[in-house]
Amino acid sequence: MTDNNNEDDYLMLSGIQHFQFCKRQWALIHIEEQWAENVRTVEGQHLHQKADQPFIKEKRKDKLIVRALPIQSKEMGTTGICDVVEFIEEANGVSILNSEQTYVPIPVEYKRGKPKKDRSDVLQLTAQAMCLEEMLLCDVSTGYIFYNETKHREEIPITEENKEKVRAVFKEMHHYFKNRHTPKVKTGAFCRNCSLQHVCLPELMHKQSVASYIERVVGE
């Protein structure tokens, strides 16, 4: 997949969200390093600022809450940050922070809006769980996604099926990244909500000449 000993080749874990939405969008951001904000990205950043208070730890009875926890996976060649990880005291858990207690980690991801029809949120959470498993040498069986619009968090089982999908997605992402290739994709109504539509120019991927596109835009 990548040179797992070279962390410079690690991909951003959050990129799996972009990749599932649109492979071209992911490549424009992570390969070509282009970015444009719209109201959706601004709302998302505002929501994460509330969760991302680096290394703040909070103890609640049998629960230790850690915010903005850095994570990585050598297997997948990725690095990122968990919005929140709740460490629950459990006899069969793992030791952390030289504590006498042992804990089971549960990742919690914060999202704007409401649950999506696709699996992008679930796969991102699964990737986080896989990183925690690799780093802490433990099993993570469940996680949560909190949706700002519904003010509700959903419990998400960490399944082997989704883990295999995550591995396949990162393999494909590394392929594009290694070859510095920005793919063409099938366009649709979702392009109108993309923060990179004016960079991507999805109209040019249709069967029309550049000249005719420019002529139409100027005419408008």
Side-chain angles (χ1 to χ4, degrees), residues 125-144:
L125 184 73
T126 300
Q128 293 177 357
M130 293 168 70
C131 288
L132 290 170
E133 288 184 332
E134 185 177 322
M135 293 171 65
L136 299 175
L137 302 178
C138 66
D139 292 326
V140 179
S141 61
T142 189
Y144 291 92

Side-chain angles (χ1 to χ4, degrees), residues 5 8 20 56 71 101 103 135 157 180 182 186 204-205:
N5 294 316
D8 290 338
Q20 287 299 109
I56 288 182
I71 55 173
Q101 288 78 26
Y103 298 84
M135 293 171 65
R180 314 302 294 178
T182 300
K186 184 177 180 180
L204 294 184
M205 282 184 282

